[in-house]
């Protein structure tokens, strides 16, 4: 999402510099060529504090933007060290308390604990959903004076165009009159695919159905064992990564989000943009907000396979209106996110000419 936002800012004529602790990562090739890259030559955020402070003192960008808690804390400390008076925007993407409980890296855990002391001095804490904002305030014991919500940029013209392509999975192209469900995400405890698989076992007692799960992750062996124990090998496909999940979102009979927690679930918004018939858990946070309390998709309790199975059957019997779903997705476009960030930058630092965003 950060790459999409930076590219969107450049398209509006903004000067953007991307500061990296170390110049590596899978998304560098997706950056607009106009984005300047600065490599601090470090592997960890904490060891990048002094080099970043030196860069800030020298370059004097109009605004400093950082993402993720441990990076936000390091950037805030570097900004204080630089003493350059640069407005800092720190972006939070997920449930801080949930993330902290799962951390194993000691330095990252320290950064989370420091957040409650550092965040009050940051110019603006941006959360990607109302639920994330509530979680940040609770974890940091903060006050709302420097917080606001800006949704991630998700929907683009490219996404919509890809959704119109032919779906690549055989179950969506074989002409069989068997409903196909779709789930997308990392094969991780957070995503609740074990609960979804159990729900599909129950749905099969009522009608034929197939489930495709896109994504990879550490729980593949456990999920494969679950499929074997429930004799679901012919009904559920752990299909791995897909070049174009959007065509499958459009073609599937229902899209299922079974997560135990989220920040702002990107795949849910992508499914809306594809006109999908949605069933989602009412997890913290995002689905309730994105689906407006169930107006644009059915909501069920977390970790409840019975309720999920019933909602899937209801969705297959009475699909929700795809045009309404696509209209709701327009609230999460790249253009809208860029507008909101530019308005925030202007508020924090009234601009003269074309500014540099660090």
């Amino acid at each position: 999402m950060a790459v999409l936002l930076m590219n969107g800012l450049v398209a509006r004529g903004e000067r953007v510099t991307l500061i990296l602790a170390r110049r590596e990562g899978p998304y560098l090739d997706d950056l607009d060529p106009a984005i300047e890259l600065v490599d601090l030559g470090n592997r960890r955020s904490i060891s990048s504090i002094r080099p970043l402070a030196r860069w800030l003192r020298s370059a004097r960008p109009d605004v400093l933007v950082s993402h993720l808690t441990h990076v936000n804390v390091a950037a805030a400390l570097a900004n204080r060290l630089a003493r350059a008076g640069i407005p800092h925007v720190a972006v939070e993407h997920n449930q801080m308390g949930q993330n902290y409980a799962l951390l194993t890296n000691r330095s990252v855990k320290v950064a989370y604990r420091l957040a409650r002391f550092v965040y009050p001095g940051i110019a603006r804490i941006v959360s990607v959903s109302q639920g994330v904002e509530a979680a940040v305030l609770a974890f940091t014991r903060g006050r709302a004076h420097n917080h606001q919500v800006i949704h991630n940029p998700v929907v683009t013209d490219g996404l919509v165009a890809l959704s119109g392509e032919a779906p690549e999975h055989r179950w969506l192209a074989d002409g069989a009159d068997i409903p196909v469900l779709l789930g997308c995400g990392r094969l991780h405890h957070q995503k609740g695919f074990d609960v979804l698989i159990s729900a599909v076992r129950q749905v099969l007692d009522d009608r034929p159905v197939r489930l495709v799960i896109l994504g990879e992750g550490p729980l593949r062996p456990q999920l494969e064992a679950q499929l074997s124990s429930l004799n679901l090998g012919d009904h559920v496909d752990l299909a791995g990564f897909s070049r174009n999940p959007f065509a499958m979102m459009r073609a599937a009979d229902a899209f299922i989000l079974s997560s135990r927690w989220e920040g702002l679930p990107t795949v849910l918004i992508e499914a809306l943009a594809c006109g999908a018939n949605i069933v989602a858990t009412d997890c913290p946070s995002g689905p309730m907000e994105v689906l407006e309390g169930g107006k644009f998709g059915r909501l069920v309790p977390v970790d409840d396979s019975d309720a999920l199975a019933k909602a899937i059957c209801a969705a297959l019997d009475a699909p929700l209106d795809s045009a309404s779903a696509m209209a709701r997705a327009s609230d999460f476009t790249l253009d809208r996110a860029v507008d909101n960030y530019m308005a925030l930058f202007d508020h924090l630092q009234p601009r003269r000419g074309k500014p540099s965003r660090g």
Side-chain angles (χ1 to χ4, degrees):
M1 294 300 108
V3 170
L4 197 59
L5 178 62
M6 287 186 288
N7 289 346
L9 288 167
V10 168
R12 298 282 188 94
E14 303 285 347
R15 289 172 50 206
V16 176
T17 301
L18 175 60
I19 314 297
L20 299 166
R22 190 175 184 88
R23 186 169 178 161
E24 60 185 14
Y27 300 109
L28 293 180
D29 291 341
D30 298 330
L31 289 170
D32 189 295
I35 295 174
E36 178 186 358
L37 296 180
V38 174
D39 183 358
L40 298 179
N42 292 276
R43 286 197 173 275
R44 298 189 303 165
S45 299
I46 191 169
S47 58
S48 300
I49 292 173
R50 289 188 180 276
L52 177 56
R54 288 193 293 269
W55 184 88
L56 292 171
R57 199 178 298 121
S58 172
R60 303 271 175 158
D62 289 332
V63 180
L64 170 65
V65 182
S66 61
H67 296 259
L68 307 178
T69 304
H70 63 292
V71 179
N72 293 340
V73 169
L77 295 174
N79 199 28
R80 289 187 183 185
L81 189 61
R83 296 183 180 180
I86 299 164
H88 179 195
V89 176
V91 186
E92 284 289 346
H93 291 263
N94 219 314
Q95 296 287 311
M96 288 186 76
Q98 292 276 13
N99 282 0
Y100 180 77
L102 297 173
L103 288 175
T104 57
N105 184 296
R106 184 176 298 177
S107 63
V108 176
K109 292 193 80 166
V110 169
Y112 269 70
R113 290 196 290 268
L114 285 174
R116 64 186 48 167
F117 304 105
V118 172
Y119 275 27
I122 294 176
R124 194 60 51 94
I125 311 295
V126 169
S127 295
V128 299
S129 71
Q130 294 171 7
V132 168
E133 181 181 68
V136 172
L137 288 167
F139 186 85
T140 62
R141 303 172 189 170
R143 300 171 62 185
H145 71 281
N146 63 335
H147 287 251
Q148 78 178 80
V149 172
I150 299 179
H151 293 139
N152 277 335
V154 177
V155 182
T156 65
D157 291 341
L159 183 160
V160 175
L162 285 170
S163 73
E165 294 185 0
E168 59 189 28
H169 197 278
R170 64 189 185 281
W171 286 348
L172 292 167
D174 63 5
D177 190 24
I178 300 176
V180 177
L181 313 176
L182 179 66
C184 299
R186 187 165 177 252
L187 305 185
H188 184 278
H189 176 73
Q190 174 190 0
K191 301 303 180 181
F193 289 131
D194 55 321
V195 179
L196 176 55
I197 289 170
S198 295
V200 166
R201 176 67 273 170
Q202 294 174 248
V203 173
L204 283 166
D205 293 335
D206 179 76
R207 69 188 73 196
V209 71
R210 290 166 167 172
L211 168 65
V212 177
I213 297 177
L214 301 179
E216 287 292 353
L219 287 191
R220 174 175 277 276
Q222 292 92 321
L223 295 176
E224 289 176 340
Q226 183 184 10
L227 293 178
S228 177
S229 69
L230 295 175
N231 296 314
L232 290 176
D234 293 333
H235 304 279
V236 179
D237 184 17
L238 301 180
F241 290 110
S242 170
R243 177 192 64 84
N244 180 8
F246 312 121
M248 297 174 68
M249 289 176 180
R250 177 190 55 78
D253 294 278
F255 178 86
I256 318 298
L257 184 90
S258 51
S259 298
R260 293 181 166 97
W261 73 90
E262 290 284 350
L264 182 73
T266 297
V267 293
L268 189 64
I269 298 168
E270 291 170 340
L272 278 174
C274 298
N277 181 27
I278 291 173
V279 177
T281 51
D282 184 15
C283 68
S285 58
M288 174 69 74
E289 186 174 341
V290 171
L291 300 178
E292 290 193 353
K295 181 178 179 181
F296 299 103
R298 291 173 170 83
L299 290 164
V300 300
V302 174
D303 276 328
D304 189 334
S305 60
D306 291 342
L308 186 56
K310 291 175 183 176
I312 288 171
C313 291
L316 295 176
D317 289 337
L320 298 178
D321 179 55
S322 62
S324 296
M326 296 169 73
R328 171 57 175 154
S330 67
D331 292 332
F332 302 92
T333 62
L334 173 60
D335 282 343
R336 181 163 294 195
V338 171
D339 286 343
N340 289 334
Y341 272 99
M342 289 182 68
L344 173 59
F345 297 156
D346 290 344
H347 173 73
L348 295 175
Q349 184 76 283
R351 298 176 299 151
R352 297 180 181 178
K354 295 297 181 184
S356 173
R357 310 297 187 197

